[in-house]
Amino acid sequence: MIAQVHTQDTQCLVLYVKGRRKSWKFVLQIATGILLGLFTLLMLMNMLWWLAVLISIGGTLPFLVILSALFLRVFEPDRYFVFDKAWNVFQCKLNAADNTGKVVVELPLNTLVKVEGNYDSKLDVEEMILNFSISDQEEKQILLLRHSGENSTLSDREHLRLFL
């Protein structure tokens, strides 16, 4: 399975979808470290402070661009999807399944209308999408997971249907 089952019993299913690398904060920390390192070296060489700042910024920009390009496609955080029949709740949490995890989405399970897999043949990527009916006209779509290959989310969809 692509989504790893974190915990499961007859009343609750917690799926874990691992994030793909670090966040923008990670890239900015590295770029700031490079900027401060260059600035310190230039100041130790008795350079004017404004010239040292300009050279440091100019020297850091290529690293920032390269790091951003490397990490741009892989910025998804760790997510836990909680399907709780006992409380009739679906939750999407970032970073932790317990109460310390930030809840991004919380919806009643009885509003779940459809579990589908959409395949993009150009990118060879399939997405597993949950559709919730919030009101008569409004629907909320949740991207559960994305993986390469057609029918890659099929086992996960079947697992969810069996549980629900």
Side-chain angles (χ1 to χ4, degrees), residues 131-147:
N131 290 321
F132 290 88
S133 176
I134 297 172
S135 64
D136 291 338
Q137 293 87 13
E138 190 178 357
E139 268 197 14
K140 174 87 173 166
Q141 282 194 339
I142 308 288
L143 175 65
L144 195 65
L145 52 98
R146 177 184 296 129
H147 200 271

Side-chain angles (χ1 to χ4, degrees), residues 2 12 20 34-35 38 55 57 59-61 75 78-79 85-87 97-98 102 108 116 122 131 134-135 154:
I2 300 155
C12 186
R20 300 192 182 176
I34 293 170
L35 178 76
L38 284 173
I55 292 173
I57 291 172
T60 304
L61 274 175
F75 271 154
D78 291 354
R79 292 167 294 160
K85 284 189 209 176
W87 298 99
D98 58 5
K102 179 184 174 191
E116 63 180 335
K122 293 178 187 171
N131 290 321
I134 297 172
S135 64
L154 189 62

Side-chain angles (χ1 to χ4, degrees), residues 1-18:
M1 284 174 56
I2 300 155
Q4 177 185 349
V5 176
H6 183 65
T7 57
Q8 181 177 6
D9 58 25
T10 56
Q11 292 298 312
C12 186
L13 168 69
V14 181
L15 294 178
Y16 170 62
V17 178
K18 186 167 173 48

Side-chain angles (χ1 to χ4, degrees), residues 105-133:
V105 173
E106 182 171 309
L107 296 163
L109 264 179
N110 58 9
T111 61
L112 180 62
V113 179
K114 188 169 34 171
V115 178
E116 63 180 335
N118 291 336
Y119 177 66
D120 184 358
S121 58
K122 293 178 187 171
L123 299 174
D124 189 35
V125 170
E126 187 171 38
E127 298 175 338
M128 185 171 159
I129 297 173
L130 305 177
N131 290 321
F132 290 88
S133 176

Side-chain angles (χ1 to χ4, degrees), residues 71-82:
F71 291 114
L72 189 60
R73 296 182 52 189
V74 287
F75 271 154
E76 296 177 18
D78 291 354
R79 292 167 294 160
Y80 290 86
F81 295 98
V82 182

Side-chain angles (χ1 to χ4, degrees), residues 21-76:
R21 298 266 194 236
K22 303 291 181 179
S23 64
W24 279 104
K25 183 179 175 184
F26 176 70
V27 173
L28 292 177
Q29 285 175 344
I30 292 174
T32 304
I34 293 170
L35 178 76
L36 291 175
L38 284 173
F39 180 74
T40 305
L41 284 174
L42 293 171
M43 288 305 290
L44 289 173
M45 293 172 36
N46 291 328
M47 197 170 275
L48 295 171
W49 71 269
W50 59 271
L51 189 58
V53 168
L54 288 175
I55 292 173
S56 298
I57 291 172
T60 304
L61 274 175
F63 289 103
L64 185 63
V65 170
I66 290 169
L67 287 172
S68 298
L70 285 174
F71 291 114
L72 189 60
R73 296 182 52 189
V74 287
F75 271 154
E76 296 177 18

